[in-house]
Amino acid sequence: MPFEPIVINSRSMSYISLDKFGRLRINKLAMKALKLEPHQYIVASVDVDLKRIGIAKQELSRVPNASIAKLDRRGQVSGIGKRIAEKLSLNLSQAPFFFVDIGWVDDAGVRWRAFELMEANDVL
């Protein structure tokens, strides 16, 4: 029987998380990929079919009918996570949920940084 390699995912990857209080947190590597600083404004979107969240800087994208949200100094955004959980049918009592960075996606003239929901058995 051949050896099977063991993959150890480290916390040195770009991701966002959603906690039980409905706060969306963007980790340092994701903030670096998005070129975000604390206290900047973002716009978020959801792809329900693929269980993805898209994040874009508000200055770079003028998304019609979108609400802007402000990052705090820790990379957290309050209020938006509950709406994301509702759209993706996630039960916040089972949080935290992690969304791994899959890169840039262009959609309707807006360049989003896409993050895909990790399965429960996947570990960061």
Side-chain angles (χ1 to χ4, degrees):
M1 181 164 146
F3 284 101
E4 292 182 35
I6 296 175
V7 178
I8 300 172
N9 294 326
S10 70
R11 293 208 181 260
S12 62
M13 63 189 318
S14 176
Y15 68 91
I16 59 178
S17 60
L18 186 60
D19 71 10
K20 67 180 180 178
F21 301 110
R23 293 178 298 214
L24 186 72
R25 182 180 170 274
I26 304 173
N27 84 336
K28 295 278 186 193
L29 288 174
M31 286 182 66
K32 186 175 179 180
L34 284 157
K35 297 181 180 152
L36 286 173
E37 296 292 328
H39 308 293
Q40 281 188 307
Y41 291 94
I42 63 164
V43 177
S45 68
V46 177
D47 182 339
V48 177
D49 296 332
L50 297 175
K51 301 274 188 191
R52 290 182 180 169
I53 298 173
I55 303 288
K57 276 178 146 179
Q58 192 270 337
E59 299 90 29
L60 298 179
S61 60
R62 301 289 180 214
V63 182
N65 301 322
S67 298
I68 58 172
K70 187 175 182 179
L71 288 171
D72 69 8
R73 63 181 172 80
R74 296 167 296 187
Q76 291 183 348
V77 183
S78 297
I80 199 168
K82 289 181 182 177
R83 287 182 268 166
I84 290 172
E86 287 172 7
K87 293 265 187 195
L88 296 178
S89 301
L90 300 174
N91 184 352
L92 287 178
S93 67
Q94 297 173 345
F97 296 101
F98 295 94
F99 297 81
V100 67
D101 189 351
I102 60 168
W104 294 102
V105 175
D106 291 322
D107 183 48
V110 179
R111 191 165 188 227
W112 300 97
R113 190 71 183 203
F115 297 86
E116 190 168 76
L117 180 64
M118 295 181 68
E119 295 299 321
N121 57 354
D122 291 341
V123 179
L124 279 179

